[in-house]
Amino acid sequence: MNIVVCVKYVPDATAERRFDEVDNTVDRAGVDGLLSELDEYAVEEALAIRDAHGGEVTVLTVGPAPAADAVRKSLQMGIDKGVHVLDDAVHGSDSAATSLVLAAAVEKIGADAPVDLVICGMASTDGSMGVVPAMVAERLDLPQVTLASQVEVDGETVRVRRDGDTATEYVEASTPLVLSVTDQCNEPRYPSFKGIMAAKKKPVQTWSLADLGVEPARVGLAAAWTEVVSFEARPARSAGQIVTDEGDGGQKLAEYLAVQKFA
Amino acid sequence: MSEVLVVVDHVEGAVGKPTAELLAIAGRLGEPSAVFFGPGAEGAVDILGRFGAQKIYSVPDPALVDHLVAPKAEALAQLVESVGPAAVLIVSGGEGKEVAARLSIKLESGLVTDAVDVQPGEQGLVTTQNVFAGAYTTYSRVTQGTPIITVKPNSATPQPAQAAGTLERVEVQISSEAKAARVTERKPRQQTGRPELTEASIVVSGGRGTGGDFSEVEAFADSLGAAVGASRAAVDSGWYPHSYQVGQTGKTVSPQLYVASGISGAIQHRAGMQTSKTIVAVNKDEEAPIFELVDFGVVGDLKKVLPQATEEITKRKG
Ligand SMILES: Cc1cc2nc3c(=O)[nH]c(=O)nc-3n(C[C@H](O)[C@H](O)[C@H](O)COP(=O)(O)OP(=O)(O)OC[C@H]3O[C@@H](n4cnc5c(N)ncnc54)[C@H](O)[C@@H]3O)c2cc1C
Ligand SMILES: Nc1ncnc2c1ncn2[C@@H]1O[C@H](COP(=O)(O)O)[C@@H](O)[C@H]1O
């Protein structure tokens, strides 16, 4: 199997995240970043499939210079090689533009040996739209088997369990395809000391948009199909009323709910 | 006035409340037309008309329900080409967002996901979203193509309207590529008799603090007519099914009232409930971060507080 796993470098969710006052984009410069936690599940799934079925995994990220950290972490976990698409023109790209770049990069990776599986996380922890995998599938004209909570690979057939909105669905398709996995899928490993050492020697290529043949005018903030007109910080919730249970906590709760007309 | 397409969210023909909400939003923006995928549109004509659908496009091709995402996007793209709507509205769920994503690429049209409001504006529709776990509100506009907007449940109040609800059967061409991901089996979620988590106006959730026994949480929920939710810690421990998980990797809920019991209030949990109107917590640790969010909090043991509250509420109801 020739596998590409797409990972995103995101601002740390536990840090305060803000908008850039100048161009209404997410301010990624101001806060520390890391490999999106949800993409660790994609990395783990890629490793599990490779270890069971053989082949090679390339980690792919599109992002600013510090995004190299996300590639490094994936290599430390055991991925074989990395591709970092780095180009100033990408700043401010929306999901559609990101998927354009990812699809072009997958095609370039596949120029040597065709790609069988593109594995993504369920959503990025910053934008959390959960649309890039479907967009990449659409651009590559590939089937998508997405939001998988359980994955089984059997030759060219991929079967997954998808905990859908109203039902549990069992979906199957043949490779090549785009797979996205949820946090129910597996338990991501921690990089071992050996893995950390080995990662230093693994090949990482840095590609520009020109390397991919993507017109810079098709990406970035100016090419976005949507625009943030304005934003506002939600008012902090005003301090609530807190009571300590002294044998009547339940009654006080019931009374509050009655006053608020909930009960 | 232009048509606004609303993709009907239904389970084997039964139309959910979020669809009625979308029809209400569509009514502000233009003339609401419902799009019904799969067999069974005839049975939904009445309810769709009652909530404002002037037209109902029925696309009965079974390929739409037997395959994942791609055929629906193809069918919608063809419908958009022929109808030329002012916007396409889809309920924000796992599949809805992915259908919207593929459609957006096909039509080279801007996509806004997880909107909580859509209003007409001088330069086109303005959508409202809550981002960063609800810390910011953003207002956006689609600047290219036909606006494709996924809207969260509970974002509008359904408006009873006597609309024509004229059924129009639509034939679409579904490519073989779009039929590559087959749904081989579908197990509908077990019905609990409680409201649907994402649609409920009251949600009562339990976390690790339940110690694995959700009976107090469920009884309290039932006294309020509420849906039951769970934290990931409770789900990971196998105490409650994953489909009830609230948070970043579970459901996002925005009810009138959210009660967190035995839940510490981790950022990933907050991401799924922070925009609830009123927030209440019961937690025995007064330092628990959930108390930063609450309108009303009880520091105490949920095993004592919830049963007492349940009894009191039941008594008051008489
Ligand atoms: C990628 C990622 C995604 C995640 N997604 C989600 C998500 O979608 N949803 C989610 O919930 N979490 C999610 N998490 C996990 C999250 O970080 C927390 O670990 C989780 O929310 C904790 O659940 P909890 O509050 O039930 O448990 P704890 O944090 O252990 O809190 C239990 C609370 O119960 C209180 N308590 C104990 N006993 C009692 C009692 N008898 N009466 C009253 N109070 C009591 C304690 O004081 C404590 O505050 C995610 C984490 C990651 C890394
Ligand atoms: N800039 C990016 N680089 C690589 N992969 C990405 C990027 N953005 C999104 N993805 C992939 O798409 C998934 C869903 O992202 P999103 O649609 O942004 O929520 C992520 O989990 C990643 O696997």
Side-chain angles (χ1 to χ4, degrees):
Chain A
M1 284 261 178
N2 190 15
I3 305 173
V4 174
V5 56
C6 300
V7 304
K8 189 174 181 185
Y9 178 80
V10 298
D12 187 349
T14 52
E16 197 179 325
R17 293 169 291 179
R18 352 180 232 116
F19 274 87
D20 189 317
E21 303 279 349
V22 182
D23 60 5
N24 288 358
T25 60
V26 177
D27 184 351
R28 294 180 206 278
V31 283
D32 285 345
L34 75 181
L35 166 64
S36 170
E37 271 176 317
L38 292 176
D39 290 344
E40 291 184 13
Y41 297 89
V43 169
E44 179 61 42
E45 202 56 40
L47 293 172
I49 294 172
R50 179 200 65 188
D51 294 346
H53 302 272
E56 194 178 49
V57 192
T58 307
V59 59
L60 167 61
T61 195
V62 176
D69 280 355
V71 171
R72 190 173 314 118
K73 171 97 186 266
S74 309
L75 297 177
Q76 291 173 347
M77 288 172 74
I79 301 290
D80 303 300
K81 53 185 189 169
V83 169
H84 180 183
V85 180
L86 174 65
D87 198 307
D88 287 344
V90 170
H91 174 79
S93 287
D94 60 2
S95 303
T98 302
S99 70
L100 177 74
V101 178
L102 286 171
V106 169
E107 274 176 340
K108 189 170 161 72
I109 293 168
D112 303 332
V115 172
D116 302 299
L117 270 181
V118 177
I119 308 184
C120 294
M122 65 186 289
S124 50
T125 51
D126 58 342
S128 206
M129 293 174 71
V131 295
V132 166
M135 286 179 164
V136 170
E138 179 66 32
R139 293 201 183 269
L140 294 171
D141 210 3
L142 288 180
Q144 67 177 84
V145 178
T146 39
L147 299 178
S149 296
Q150 197 182 311
V151 181
E152 185 196 317
V153 176
D154 177 5
E156 288 182 359
T157 308
V158 176
R159 282 187 206 95
V160 310
R161 191 187 84 224
R162 172 174 161 119
D163 296 323
D165 302 321
T166 55
T168 299
E169 295 164 326
Y170 295 83
V171 185
E172 75 175 47
S174 303
T175 57
L177 56 82
V178 174
L179 170 70
S180 81
V181 298
T182 72
D183 62 335
Q184 298 287 302
C185 211
N186 56 46
E187 205 46 65
R189 67 192 71 183
Y190 289 102
S192 63
F193 179 70
K194 221 173 111 207
I196 293 171
M197 297 314 287
K200 295 184 177 155
K201 297 196 203 78
K202 290 179 177 171
V204 176
Q205 296 193 57
T206 305
W207 292 343
S208 66
L209 290 179
D211 293 330
L212 298 178
V214 172
E215 278 292 319
R218 295 186 68 190
V219 303
L221 191 55
W225 298 343
T226 58
E227 143 187 281
V228 176
V229 189
S230 61
F231 63 86
E232 61 201 29
R234 276 171 68 90
R237 298 188 83 100
S238 51
Q241 182 192 350
I242 303 207
V243 301
T244 300
D245 180 31
E246 279 157 1
D248 58 354
Q251 277 153 6
K252 286 191 172 146
L253 173 55
E255 200 174 291
Y256 173 81
L257 295 177
V259 170
Q260 300 292 320
K261 306 233 175 327
F262 289 119
Chain B
M1 226 179 3
S2 306
E3 289 179 48
V4 174
L5 297 184
V6 169
V7 177
V8 177
D9 177 42
H10 68 88
V11 181
E12 283 166 17
V15 177
K17 177 162 155 265
T19 300
E21 295 165 3
L22 257 51
L23 288 168
I25 293 176
R28 290 180 210 150
L29 312 174
E31 201 167 278
S33 298
V35 182
F36 193 102
F37 289 134
E42 296 71 20
V45 166
D46 182 51
I47 179 158
L48 294 172
R50 272 193 285 124
F51 285 104
Q54 296 290 353
K55 275 192 201 153
I56 299 160
Y57 296 108
S58 160
V59 194
D61 190 336
L64 293 164
V65 278
D66 295 344
H67 301 87
L68 205 61
V69 181
K72 289 186 179 139
E74 266 189 6
L76 269 177
Q78 290 167 36
L79 202 55
V80 169
E81 301 283 351
S82 66
V83 173
V88 180
L89 306 182
I90 303 176
V91 176
S92 243
E95 183 165 36
K97 282 204 267 190
E98 293 187 327
V99 169
R102 290 193 89 125
L103 182 64
S104 156
I105 300 300
K106 280 184 199 297
L107 300 175
E108 302 203 344
S109 290
L111 164 66
V112 175
T113 53
D114 293 329
V116 294
D117 196 13
V118 189
Q119 293 289 346
E122 267 166 39
Q123 293 176 293
L125 313 181
V126 178
T127 59
T128 308
Q129 290 159 286
N130 294 318
V131 302
F132 296 163
Y136 279 90
T137 302
T138 58
Y139 302 92
S140 304
R141 233 162 35 86
V142 167
T143 50
Q144 177 170 311
T146 307
I148 303 165
I149 304 165
T150 78
V151 183
K152 285 193 174 183
N154 268 340
S155 295
T157 311
Q159 302 292 328
Q162 262 324 320
T166 314
L167 193 63
E168 197 172 303
R169 195 188 158 101
V170 182
E171 296 300 336
V172 292
Q173 259 68 54
I174 305 298
S175 68
S176 56
E177 289 80 13
K179 291 190 249 185
R182 293 178 305 283
V183 178
T184 53
E185 193 186 344
R186 193 173 268 127
K187 282 193 199 141
R189 182 111 354 100
Q190 241 179 330
Q191 295 299 319
T192 58
R194 298 194 181 94
E196 189 52 44
L197 184 56
T198 52
E199 301 169 17
S201 51
I202 304 180
V203 174
V204 178
S205 290
R208 202 194 304 275
T210 60
D213 179 3
F214 262 61
S215 60
E216 292 93 356
V217 170
E218 289 183 336
F220 181 62
D222 290 340
S223 76
L224 295 167
V228 173
S231 73
R232 177 160 134 179
V235 170
D236 283 354
S237 308
W239 301 341
Y240 228 69
H242 178 246
S243 47
Y244 296 90
Q245 183 178 315
V246 172
Q248 185 187 41
T249 55
K251 301 280 182 342
T252 313
V253 301
S254 199
Q256 298 297 318
L257 170 65
Y258 186 86
V259 183
S261 34
I263 293 178
S264 60
I267 177 118
Q268 296 92 349
H269 187 78
R270 292 179 179 209
M273 47 66 72
Q274 200 154 20
T275 58
S276 305
K277 298 271 176 340
T278 299
I279 297 175
V280 168
V282 180
N283 194 306
K284 67 178 186 191
D285 174 11
E286 61 178 344
E287 304 283 324
I290 192 77
F291 285 125
E292 292 162 18
L293 291 185
V294 300
D295 297 284
F296 188 82
V298 182
V299 179
D301 185 348
L302 72 90
K303 303 276 166 195
K304 298 199 179 103
V305 175
L306 292 187
Q308 190 181 62
T310 307
E311 195 189 319
E312 183 69 25
I313 289 165
T314 315
K315 202 162 75 197
R316 282 171 190 243
K317 275 198 288 210

